[in-house]
Amino acid sequence: MKLLALSVLVLLCGLLEVQAEGYNGYKVYQVTPKTLQQADILHQLHEDPEFDFFQDAKLLGQPMSIMASPRVQQYFETTLANLTHEGLDYTVTTEDVQKVLDEEYADFVRRNASRQAGARAVFDEYISHAEVLAYLERLEREHPEIVRLESIGRSTEGRDLLLIHIGSGRPNAPTIFIDAGIHAREWIATPSALYIISQLVENPAHARLHQNVNWAIIPAINPDGYEFSRSSVLNRLWRKTRRPNQGSTCIGTDPNRNFGYQWNTGGASTNPCSDIYAGPEPFSEPETDAIRRYFINHYTEIKLYVTIHSYGNYILYPWGFTSELPRDALHLQTVAEAAARPIEAASTLGSRYTIGSSTNVLYEASGGSDDWTKGAIGVDLSYCFELPGGGSFGFNPPVAMIRPIVEETFEGFIALGEYIASLYG
């Protein structure tokens, strides 16, 4: 297909980063492939920096949400029109991405300016990384008997990668490790982690959850990318880290393609301009390397790993690099279903979760953190939670949706905590 040739040409051009110009004229398409050939053509665009997949689809007949730059729209639309004769459906859902972002970002700026520093509702707003750290530090001061903070490293721009330990600290107690915000634009992940922390520390009704289980949580593992996505409406959809790439004008690596298990074997890119760039080598990013070093020192204690993302209502488990299932897939599926049931029962949003291995449920993506924790470290129960989306593009739920999402998500972590306590405690 000519579309594939165009993609290759674009990849070779080393195009400038989107944030230099914003998203003026970018369109979002809802495309529903009906044949395997159509799906394959679309999936090959993943590595092309001119396209951004807001929502993918594994099954034929499910819609994809794809953003395309003005440089490729004419050819993309011509190709899609030709494919409609073979049953493909598509429509333009957003004519100008920047215009929509401008409208939504104005509300974000207004709400930010209306609140006094230190007076924020931690999980009712999208707060800054500095405010995240201030909240964790307050918890340590007020609850020293169960809270201990640890810096596991610093980001490229020098921000603290602060991990909070919650529990009795009993040696050899099983540990649940959670990270959130690895993709910068997935803002809802961080308040979800903060709500888990709040309920464990500040709500006596949940004290039982840390009596026999220790929790280690990093609510903002990609702080540079997160702050960059907050810094301007032009950067709102930023996904990667912020480390400069040698020999390229394009900045950043997809940290969830940067882990060193089956690194860059599929569903990742070697192009620094791509949103799924795997980096020059495994653990090239200080953020992913900090997680690596922590796990190497604590792997015997960690019994459950969860990385919180958005969006799409998925609970995913390895593998992401292959469609083959791990030997204990039935166990992974059963535990995930036990977590999904209370989430769905508590949901006021009508949330329903799809559960399965990453490649089979969503798409191939090598170098992910959950593959690495299971395949390289040996944490049997390793998951990726893709939370509900909202707003115009899924990655931007309005603040009114934050509390419903974080509250229902916590119900799943109650189930996971109780399971780990019963299994290992």
Side-chain angles (χ1 to χ4, degrees):
M1 297 292 295
K2 291 182 180 179
L3 180 58
L4 300 185
L6 175 66
S7 300
V8 173
L9 177 61
V10 169
L11 283 168
L12 294 175
C13 287
L15 294 166
L16 296 177
E17 299 267 38
V18 164
Q19 78 272 13
E21 61 191 56
Y23 297 90
N24 289 306
Y26 280 66
K27 292 183 180 181
V28 179
Y29 300 77
Q30 181 173 289
V31 185
T32 306
K34 300 295 180 63
T35 69
L36 288 175
Q37 182 188 30
Q38 294 167 1
D40 287 342
I41 289 170
L42 294 170
H43 280 134
Q44 289 185 54
L45 298 176
H46 265 289
E47 296 185 30
D48 192 326
E50 295 297 302
F51 295 90
D52 193 344
F53 281 65
F54 290 168
Q55 186 172 28
D56 208 335
K58 188 65 180 178
L59 300 177
L60 296 178
Q62 288 184 341
M64 298 179 177
S65 181
I66 305 171
M67 182 175 72
S69 79
R71 289 177 284 265
V72 295
Q73 285 168 12
Q74 182 177 354
Y75 201 96
F76 187 48
E77 291 180 7
T78 299
T79 302
L80 292 176
N82 290 335
L83 290 175
T84 59
H85 299 299
E86 302 171 22
L88 178 139
D89 293 331
Y90 87 95
T91 185
V92 177
T93 57
T94 304
E95 289 285 350
D96 189 336
V97 169
Q98 191 63 50
K99 181 179 179 181
V100 176
L101 287 175
D102 287 342
E103 295 169 355
E104 295 186 348
Y105 201 79
D107 181 64
F108 166 71
V109 172
R110 178 186 59 78
R111 295 181 66 92
N112 240 21
S114 68
R115 288 187 173 268
Q116 299 271 335
R120 293 192 181 281
V122 173
F123 25 78
D124 288 319
E125 295 282 347
Y126 295 116
I127 63 176
S128 70
H129 182 254
E131 290 169 312
V132 170
L133 299 191
Y135 175 64
L136 299 183
E137 289 164 356
R138 177 174 70 79
L139 292 182
E140 185 181 45
R141 289 194 304 271
E142 295 178 356
H143 304 274
E145 71 284 359
I146 59 169
V147 171
R148 177 174 62 87
L149 297 186
E150 176 184 0
S151 176
I152 66 169
R154 288 189 175 274
S155 67
T156 294
E157 296 176 354
R159 293 184 173 89
D160 227 353
L161 304 176
L162 207 58
L163 180 148
I164 182 169
H165 296 271
I166 304 169
S168 65
R170 179 167 60 86
N172 302 319
T175 295
I176 294 173
F177 188 101
I178 301 168
D179 66 53
I182 197 166
H183 286 146
R185 66 190 179 191
E186 298 171 9
W187 287 6
I188 191 63
T190 290
S192 295
L194 291 173
Y195 189 77
I196 294 169
I197 292 167
S198 170
Q199 291 302 300
L200 292 173
V201 176
E202 299 184 289
N203 188 342
H206 298 308
R208 72 187 191 283
L209 293 174
H210 56 73
Q211 289 175 347
N212 297 306
V213 174
N214 294 326
W215 299 70
I217 305 174
I218 305 178
I221 190 57
N222 180 12
D224 296 351
Y226 176 66
E227 285 302 314
F228 185 71
S229 73
R230 288 167 45 86
S231 64
S232 166
V233 66
L234 301 180
N235 309 324
R236 176 60 188 90
L237 297 177
W238 185 258
R239 169 184 168 100
K240 300 188 289 183
T241 63
R242 292 296 298 163
R243 188 182 60 81
N245 291 306
Q246 187 174 2
S248 174
T249 59
C250 295
I251 292 174
T253 288
D254 182 344
N256 205 43
R257 300 294 189 277
N258 192 236
F259 286 80
Y261 184 75
Q262 299 293 330
W263 175 77
N264 204 23
T265 58
S269 177
T270 58
N271 183 353
C273 298
S274 171
D275 266 349
I276 55 171
Y277 176 50
E281 60 186 8
F283 302 111
S284 61
E285 309 309 287
E287 297 85 357
T288 58
D289 189 56
I291 293 179
R292 180 190 67 84
R293 287 184 282 107
Y294 183 86
F295 268 80
I296 287 173
N297 291 325
H298 298 277
Y299 69 92
T300 59
E301 307 151 18
I302 300 170
K303 304 302 180 185
L304 170 68
Y305 170 75
V306 179
T307 180
I308 302 178
H309 291 239
S310 78
Y311 70 103
N313 293 74
Y314 297 102
I315 299 179
L316 307 173
Y317 52 79
W319 306 111
F321 71 92
T322 178
S323 59
E324 293 183 12
L325 295 174
R327 69 188 187 286
D328 57 348
L330 181 58
H331 186 202
L332 287 161
Q333 181 80 19
T334 301
V335 173
E337 289 173 353
R341 282 194 292 271
I343 295 175
E344 295 174 351
S347 179
T348 60
L349 303 172
S351 297
R352 293 294 179 267
Y353 274 79
T354 300
I355 301 168
S357 74
S358 298
T359 301
N360 290 304
V361 167
L362 201 52
Y363 50 76
E364 183 182 23
S366 62
S369 62
D370 51 343
D371 274 14
W372 177 78
T373 53
K374 184 172 181 63
I377 298 298
V379 180
D380 287 337
L381 296 172
S382 293
Y383 294 99
C384 172
F385 274 49
E386 295 276 0
L387 303 186
S392 299
F393 307 116
F395 303 110
N396 46 342
V399 291
M401 287 186 67
I402 295 177
R403 186 168 283 272
I405 291 175
V406 303
E407 287 181 347
E408 70 180 46
T409 301
F410 179 64
E411 296 299 318
F413 282 89
I414 293 176
L416 291 173
E418 291 174 343
Y419 178 73
I420 294 300
S422 67
L423 194 62
Y424 297 103

